[in-house]
Amino acid sequence: MAAVSTMQWEPVMGLASGAAPTATFPNCHLLKPVAAQKAWSAPQQSSPLAELRKAVQEENWERNYEEGLTKMNMRAEWSASEERVSTFRWLASSNAARRVLEIGSFCGAGALALAEAMPADGEVRSLELDPFAVEFGRPFQLKSRAGQKITTTVGPAMHALEGLATEAKGHGAKPFDLVIIDADKEGMQSYFDLLWSTPGLLSERAVVCVDMTLFKGQPPTRYVKFGFPHRWQSSSGQAEIDGMRAAVQERGDLRSFEFGGLLVVTRQEAEM
């Protein structure tokens, strides 16, 4: 007995004359099996943030450093990953942040993600050492409606942070609700201490997040390997990370937890 096919066919509607449409129109596709047709989906539009992250991945950062375009040998993986972008958005929205400070911005992917998650009157202040990285990311931020919320200060982070602390002491600026420290490991403890010791710099419910990723933001040192003298290596920053973690645990006025490569710190009485 011949096997019976279970393939489903689309219904064929007859013409007004009674003729079968496939006889009148031999190229008609009405008899194509349903299973053989491809599902249609709307075209996906790329966002300025996605375009920025893609451009960072495609850029030759080692060559930029060797040619003197950047102050340090940056790496594409320093840019906020998709997971980190989601984390930043959650931190901004869950804390109802209206003013955010980012210490160490690289090309601004993290800043743009934060700005997109904030209300129309939100503000992101970014501090970045390298002018090349800032200019690299600026066109993508300008393409986004949220880009207008971002203000970037170029130069040493401590100098800029001290300026913000002076403004806070003089009641010239609103406090920050969320701070991201994602800069050099040597300076992160100093940045952290200045934030918490300056009255008016942080809001009562402020959340301070410190990046705990190894080999990130460290000044490079030249080394020779296999006859290639133009390679670079960096300190992992492990000692500074351990010191940061221990310092926070010793403070009785702060509480902390870690997730997604971030040390998240709030006041003991604050609620997230």
Side-chain angles (χ1 to χ4, degrees), residues 155-263:
M158 182 53 76
H159 178 73
L161 190 56
E162 288 173 345
L164 292 173
T166 300
E167 290 181 14
K169 292 176 182 178
H171 306 287
K174 296 180 180 179
F176 290 102
D177 305 307
L178 173 64
V179 180
I180 308 293
I181 302 177
D182 192 1
D184 58 294
K185 295 298 184 289
E186 286 88 351
M188 66 178 182
Q189 183 71 59
S190 298
Y191 307 147
F192 183 88
D193 291 341
L194 183 58
L195 287 168
W196 290 106
S197 63
T198 303
L201 193 54
L202 299 177
S203 64
E204 288 301 315
R205 298 181 66 254
V207 178
V208 177
C209 303
V210 185
D211 178 78
M212 307 295 270
T213 307
L214 296 174
F215 292 102
K216 189 173 181 182
Q218 301 302 91
T221 55
R222 186 185 296 273
Y223 76 103
V224 178
K225 184 176 183 181
F226 305 126
F228 294 95
H230 301 296
R231 300 297 179 187
W232 306 85
Q233 64 181 0
S234 303
S235 166
S236 69
Q238 183 65 65
E240 291 81 1
I241 290 174
D242 292 341
M244 178 82 246
R245 188 179 287 116
V248 173
Q249 291 176 349
E250 290 174 359
R251 293 191 53 158
D253 59 331
L254 301 177
R255 61 178 180 175
S256 65
F257 61 92
E258 294 187 37
F259 80 101
L262 293 172
L263 177 66

Side-chain angles (χ1 to χ4, degrees), residues 15-166:
L15 300 179
S17 62
T22 51
T24 306
F25 305 103
N27 293 325
C28 184
H29 302 288
L30 289 176
L31 286 180
K32 276 194 173 183
V34 173
Q37 293 183 348
K38 295 181 179 179
W40 180 88
S41 61
Q44 300 298 312
Q45 294 183 348
S46 180
S47 68
L49 177 56
E51 292 174 4
L52 171 56
R53 294 183 59 243
K54 183 175 184 293
V56 170
Q57 293 300 320
E58 295 175 348
E59 184 69 12
N60 190 331
W61 294 100
E62 185 172 353
R63 182 185 62 195
N64 290 340
Y65 182 57
E66 292 176 351
E67 294 179 355
L69 298 177
T70 60
K71 294 180 179 294
M72 65 177 63
N73 188 19
M74 297 175 167
R75 303 175 183 177
E77 55 266 30
W78 289 7
S79 184
S81 64
E82 186 172 353
E83 178 184 2
R84 181 61 61 88
V85 163
S86 297
T87 299
F88 281 0
R89 286 170 173 161
W90 174 78
L91 286 167
S93 60
S94 64
N95 198 45
R98 291 186 176 272
R99 199 158 189 257
V100 175
L101 174 62
E102 184 188 36
I103 305 175
S105 184
F106 191 28
C107 295
L112 188 52
L114 288 163
E116 290 177 345
M118 297 171 65
D121 61 345
E123 177 188 6
V124 179
R125 291 290 300 270
S126 294
L127 312 181
E128 173 53 45
L129 175 67
D130 200 288
F132 181 89
V134 174
E135 291 303 317
F136 186 93
R138 193 183 305 277
F140 300 93
Q141 293 182 349
L142 293 176
K143 289 176 64 176
S144 171
R145 293 181 179 178
Q148 62 182 355
K149 305 174 189 176
I150 304 171
T151 302
T152 304
T153 301
V154 180
M158 182 53 76
H159 178 73
L161 190 56
E162 288 173 345
L164 292 173
T166 300

